[in-house]
Amino acid sequence: MTRYESAKAMYAAYGVDTDAAIAKLKNIPVALHCWQGDDVIGFDHDGPLSGGIQTTGNYPGKATTPAQLLADMEKAMSLCPGTKKLNVHACYAIFEEGEYVDRDKIEPKHFAKWVELAKKYNMGIDFNPTFFSHPMASKDGLTLSSPDAEVRAFWIEHGKACIRISEYFAKETGYPCVMNIWTGDGYKDVPADRMGPRMRYKESIEAILEEPFDKNLVKPCVESKVFGIGVEAFTAGSAEFTLSFAATHDGVLPLMDNGHYHPTEVVSDKIPALLCFYPEIALHITRGIRWDSDHVLLLDDETKEMAKEIVRNDALDRVYMALDYFDASINRIAAWVIGFRSWQKALLAALCTPNAMLAKLQDENKYTELMVMQEEMKTMPFGDIWAEYCASCGVASDTAWYKEIEAYEAEVLLKR
Ligand code: RNT
Ligand code: ZN
């Protein structure tokens, strides 16, 4: 008997079909964010990262050209099991030699190389307008909520251009494109007017959505946030604002980033709350330490709990999952791989949990037995199921993948 066969029998004793869990996970797309590879800089500007977000660390080998970033992403994906989707920010437009257009003028052709990469691996692409790291956002950090009509108009045009590019992605790849609107708009200190900026923000997003698009192809999202660096006192796109916006605008999804709430709030609890009302929702999966620090995703308790809520509510096809973190203090490709594999593990563990049996114990008020069973699940031989899943996807289940990163670092990254 192999280790997998033995583990499979142990799970089967609780009614869990591990073969089915493995087969299911293989077809669930998870979006990998291009911005982990170059510390959220992109290709369309020389300035620093702005918008209240920050990377820390100066690990060598950062990608600085499109060719490098795409190659690094391919390397990372080759070491991860499961179905991937690309997640691209508008600042990652790829221009011809000597060409440049501003963000309000970008076109599908500037993302043709991303489409090429997506097609090579039969992946979809998600997209994000970039409302930061730009002169039009540098003066006061305000974009869609700015009191300056000219600034708002520029960013509305950017948003519309991004809808056109999102539709192009969907048409080219055959997969819907999740287009996420997030801005760092807010104030460092106690504002004198909170509703004014929010009304402008609302009207600007509405203006963007006036761009015609097919709702089956483009899934616009609004991402909330509680605070950012330099916008500690107020953000225009707060939780209540974005939830209400999505609830009142047909076809718009709420996007929850689990770094964007007060420290004792958990997105695992918010997922089922939103699933009661929204046909589809989106997630940015990250790991905050003390604040929205965007550390590399690990297999920690909250990560596992979020995955459980998606799986046990049978919502794998209603929740668009994307990773969103950026760490410049370790090998950037390893950071991608660790995070992607962690989320795969969380999903697989959730799929290997006897969810119906546990829910029944809850409904029958058998809380002691529920506690006993939930604790028992923690020491099941999950590693053997994971190993089988990785093997069936043609990737290493153990740390062998890291050897490849070390070789790539020596041969490629350190020569940059
Ligand atoms: C920032 C948001 C946002 C960004 C990316 C780069 O706090 O999480 O999603 O991380 O758009
Ligand atoms: Zn996010």
Side-chain angles (χ1 to χ4, degrees):
M1 208 194 232
T2 63
R3 282 178 60 161
Y4 176 65
E5 282 162 359
S6 148
K8 181 180 158 163
M10 285 175 74
Y11 279 93
Y14 293 111
V16 172
D17 180 345
T18 53
D19 288 342
I22 287 171
K24 181 145 199 183
L25 183 55
K26 277 188 189 170
N27 295 315
I28 306 297
V30 175
L32 189 66
H33 53 314
C34 74
W35 52 92
Q36 161 57 40
D38 74 335
D39 311 343
V40 208
I41 294 300
F43 308 132
D44 72 345
H45 67 102
D46 299 323
L49 174 61
S50 71
I53 53 179
Q54 208 165 61
T55 56
T56 53
N58 57 357
Y59 199 85
K62 168 166 89 173
T64 55
T65 66
Q68 290 176 354
L69 187 70
L70 269 60
D72 290 358
M73 251 188 134
E74 278 193 77
K75 187 78 207 172
M77 289 187 296
S78 75
L79 304 172
C80 298
T83 298
K84 294 103 194 168
K85 208 176 179 193
L86 295 175
N87 203 355
V88 178
H89 241 285
C91 59
Y92 291 82
I94 300 178
F95 301 121
E96 298 282 331
E97 187 71 36
E99 182 195 16
Y100 170 77
V101 298
D102 211 345
R103 297 222 182 126
D104 57 337
K105 301 268 175 350
I106 47 172
E107 292 176 51
K109 68 175 183 195
H110 301 123
F111 296 87
K113 288 222 168 62
W114 288 107
V115 167
E116 214 177 280
L117 178 64
K119 283 183 174 169
K120 184 171 166 190
Y121 297 97
N122 185 24
M123 296 184 285
I125 310 181
D126 289 342
F127 199 45
N128 308 260
T130 311
F131 297 101
F132 52 84
S133 303
H134 187 278
M136 281 296 244
S138 69
K139 199 172 56 172
D140 52 12
L142 301 176
T143 62
L144 295 176
S145 76
S146 170
D148 183 338
E150 212 179 298
V151 170
R152 292 201 304 280
F154 174 85
W155 289 110
I156 289 168
E157 281 313 307
H158 176 55
K160 286 169 173 276
C162 287
I163 288 188
R164 296 190 288 272
I165 294 162
S166 297
E167 197 162 67
Y168 154 76
F169 284 153
K171 283 182 177 156
E172 287 290 324
T173 64
Y175 297 98
C177 173
V178 175
M179 190 194 95
N180 180 44
I181 296 177
W182 171 75
T183 74
D185 285 33
Y187 293 106
K188 179 185 171 93
D189 226 318
V190 185
D193 176 15
R194 290 185 169 88
M195 188 167 158
R198 289 193 171 126
M199 281 307 291
R200 293 191 292 269
Y201 198 31
K202 172 176 179 281
E203 282 158 17
S204 294
I205 303 173
E206 285 168 350
I208 290 172
L209 297 172
E210 271 167 29
E211 180 69 24
F213 64 94
D214 181 337
K215 288 199 175 81
N216 295 315
L217 299 183
V218 180
K219 310 273 179 177
C221 303
V222 281
E223 179 180 12
S224 69
K225 187 154 173 171
V226 62
F227 79 95
I229 298 170
V231 288
E232 286 83 359
F234 167 90
T235 62
S238 61
E240 295 75 13
F241 176 92
T242 56
L243 276 185
S244 306
F245 190 97
T248 52
H249 292 75
D250 194 31
V252 178
L253 281 60
L255 186 146
M256 296 190 291
D257 178 315
N258 61 302
H260 292 189
Y261 296 87
H262 292 282
T264 63
E265 286 184 76
V266 281
V267 164
S268 54
D269 187 62
K270 298 176 191 296
I271 290 168
L274 265 53
L275 287 174
C276 293
F277 297 95
Y278 293 92
E280 295 182 316
I281 65 170
L283 292 181
H284 271 181
I285 306 157
T286 185
R287 180 171 56 106
I289 295 195
R290 306 191 195 286
W291 66 290
D292 181 31
S293 59
D294 285 304
H295 280 68
V296 176
L297 190 71
L298 302 178
L299 188 62
D300 59 20
D301 282 350
E302 173 57 7
T303 303
K304 287 189 247 182
E305 207 63 22
M306 286 194 291
K308 274 191 224 164
E309 286 299 335
I310 299 167
V311 166
R312 67 190 175 197
N313 295 312
D314 203 14
L316 280 163
D317 55 352
R318 293 173 61 199
V319 182
Y320 294 98
M321 301 174 279
L323 305 185
D324 178 18
Y325 54 79
F326 18 97
D327 193 336
S329 74
I330 61 173
N331 181 297
R332 293 173 183 78
I333 302 170
W336 262 321
V337 176
I338 295 165
F340 196 93
R341 289 171 68 103
S342 295
W343 186 242
Q344 291 282 305
K345 284 178 192 163
L347 289 172
L348 186 61
L351 285 162
C352 291
T353 300
N355 294 305
M357 182 259 268
L358 296 174
K360 189 160 172 277
L361 293 175
Q362 173 176 320
D363 291 346
E364 291 170 351
N365 300 340
K366 294 180 177 166
Y367 302 128
T368 313
E369 196 180 341
L370 175 59
M371 189 184 282
V372 169
M373 288 309 303
Q374 285 189 315
E375 285 307 290
E376 186 63 15
M377 287 304 123
K378 293 181 181 172
T379 50
M380 290 287 281
F382 174 69
D384 295 332
I385 314 294
W386 170 250
E388 177 75 10
Y389 173 60
C390 287
S392 72
C393 293
V395 303
S397 63
D398 59 12
T399 53
W401 65 264
Y402 182 61
K403 292 276 160 248
E404 283 201 43
I405 300 258
E406 280 183 317
Y408 189 78
E409 181 170 294
E411 287 155 25
V412 180
L413 301 183
L414 292 178
K415 294 190 177 141
R416 285 182 179 161

